[in-house]
Amino acid sequence: KNVWVYARSYFGKTVIVVFNRNTEDKEITVKLPKMFIGKKYNTTFNSQFNLSNDMLKINVKKNGVEVLVEK
């Protein structure tokens, strides 16, 4: 209800967008589709994240958003 994650691949670039609509900071864990595995990403808003195999763990501030862009 308060977390929304979506990913896109467009013209060879991958982007993952994470929304946290909670009233507190949240660690969000999501399984990534195969097409997003093995790529390296930069944060737009400096959230801490970890990619391990097909799992993304990311800390997003309350009422915050993060955009991970493929390097």
Side-chain angles (χ1 to χ4, degrees):
K1 177 180 173 182
N2 290 324
V3 173
W4 188 37
V5 180
Y6 72 91
R8 296 283 313 254
S9 183
Y10 188 68
F11 287 106
K13 287 288 187 179
T14 301
V15 176
I16 302 169
V17 181
V18 183
F19 292 93
N20 176 18
R21 294 183 54 202
N22 288 287
T23 57
E24 57 189 44
D25 296 354
K26 184 135 178 109
E27 180 180 79
I28 299 164
T29 302
V30 64
K31 184 175 180 176
L32 296 176
K34 289 180 183 179
M35 64 190 293
F36 296 97
I37 298 171
K39 299 182 180 191
K40 296 187 187 284
Y41 297 90
N42 288 324
T43 62
T44 302
F45 301 110
N46 299 315
S47 297
Q48 296 295 316
F49 74 98
N50 181 36
L51 286 170
S52 179
N53 298 321
D54 61 349
M55 299 302 290
L56 167 66
K57 285 187 181 182
I58 186 166
N59 295 304
V60 181
K61 295 186 179 193
K62 64 181 179 180
N63 294 309
V65 64
E66 183 57 80
V67 180
L68 302 176
V69 180
E70 184 181 356
K71 291 183 181 181

